Amino acid sequence: MEITKHKYYRITANSMTSYEYYIKVPEKITTSDIWKQRGGYVLDGGNFSEIGSDSGWRSNGDWEYDDCYEVDEEEAKKQGYDEWEEEYFKND
């Protein structure tokens, strides 16, 4: 039985407010694979959490993806993450 190794990513977006989304993916998934999901199920805006939601006025504006980078498992666990299997990523 093969054990799949995983990586963790933090993806950020802005819309007059900053948002973040943590994911766990198979090790072979790259940032390029993740960005291919723009407009798809994995990077759906509903999956993101507002950063600093406990303070200040918030409003919606034009949605823009900002950054995607690998984080360590401890940070991802602390923030909470969704796990995605390879089949959810477009690799074309």
Side-chain angles (χ1 to χ4, degrees):
M1 181 174 148
E2 184 179 331
I3 296 176
T4 302
K5 292 184 179 183
H6 292 89
K7 297 190 287 190
Y8 300 84
Y9 286 94
R10 179 180 186 246
I11 304 141
T12 58
N14 289 290
S15 174
M16 296 176 67
T17 302
S18 295
Y19 298 90
E20 65 185 355
Y21 182 43
Y22 286 84
I23 61 174
K24 177 182 177 179
V25 297
E27 186 175 53
K28 68 186 285 184
I29 299 298
T30 66
T31 55
S32 178
D33 295 327
I34 293 168
W35 284 135
K36 288 179 185 177
Q37 298 306 304
R38 292 179 187 154
Y41 188 65
V42 175
L43 293 184
D44 182 272
N47 293 333
F48 286 73
S49 299
E50 193 172 314
I51 298 172
S53 61
D54 59 339
S55 63
W57 175 80
R58 302 290 184 244
S59 177
N60 291 327
D62 292 333
W63 181 269
E64 292 184 23
Y65 294 104
D66 189 29
D67 202 1
C68 177
Y69 55 91
E70 194 171 345
V71 297
D72 63 28
E73 182 178 8
E74 184 177 321
E75 178 180 344
K77 284 184 175 181
K78 180 180 175 185
Q79 298 299 325
Y81 61 85
D82 286 337
E83 185 171 349
W84 294 95
E85 298 301 325
E86 184 178 349
E87 64 195 50
Y88 289 97
F89 292 86
K90 300 173 189 169
N91 291 312
D92 50 352

